[in-house]
Amino acid sequence: MKKNKGFSLMELMIVLIILGLLGSLVAPKLFSKVSSSKKKTAVAQMQMFETAIDTYRLDIGSVPSSLEELRSSENPSWDGPYLPKALPLDPWGKPYIYTVPGPNNAPYGIMSYGLDGKEGGEDESADVIHQ
């Protein structure tokens, strides 16, 4: 009977070192994509809010005073809900900031303060503002 031979410890160590080097080259690129995808998700959700707010404004005649009015309202002209599910949080787990009136004489404004939850910031902590 022939004896099966496995890998030596040295061969396994070389493979693990090569995998570690490849991981250290690829991982930073992947993690930078996570940050940009969260910003893109926030922009997409804000566009969803914009569509719902525009529909609300067509039915009621004014923009809602809060985002919660897109889900329920006592107004007799209300024909919602204008959002299919509960209000989503931003990609960093915080509520969106909705202001009436909005900046620059806009009827409303929607924004997220990013990762740090504070106004201003850079990179992933930068504010995401719907224009």
Side-chain angles (χ1 to χ4, degrees):
M1 292 210 151
K2 195 174 185 181
K3 195 173 183 182
N4 289 335
K5 195 173 185 183
F7 292 107
S8 71
L9 181 60
M10 186 58 82
E11 291 169 329
L12 289 174
M13 291 300 292
I14 291 171
V15 169
L16 289 174
I17 289 171
I18 291 171
L19 289 175
L21 289 171
L22 287 173
S24 68
L25 295 173
V26 173
K29 295 212 181 259
L30 289 177
F31 287 121
S32 70
K33 297 295 181 190
V34 170
S35 173
S36 67
S37 68
K38 285 187 176 187
K39 289 180 184 177
K40 288 177 183 175
T41 299
V43 169
Q45 287 178 331
M46 288 182 203
Q47 289 171 341
M48 177 189 64
F49 286 141
E50 179 183 30
T51 302
I53 291 168
D54 289 343
T55 306
Y56 179 98
R57 184 170 28 183
L58 286 172
D59 290 347
I60 306 294
S62 63
V63 297
S65 59
S66 71
L67 291 175
E68 287 78 20
E69 288 184 42
L70 297 173
R71 292 288 302 150
S72 65
S73 176
E74 300 297 319
N75 191 312
S77 300
W78 191 80
D79 193 27
Y82 298 96
L83 291 174
K85 297 181 180 178
L87 289 173
L89 297 175
D90 70 11
W92 300 277
K94 298 170 186 72
Y96 284 96
I97 292 90
Y98 176 74
T99 56
V100 176
N104 302 323
N105 295 323
Y108 62 89
I110 308 170
M111 69 181 297
S112 168
Y113 286 146
L115 177 64
D116 64 357
K118 298 175 186 172
E119 193 171 355
E122 294 180 7
D123 300 324
E124 199 171 356
S125 294
D127 299 345
V128 181
I129 302 170
H130 179 64
Q131 301 292 336

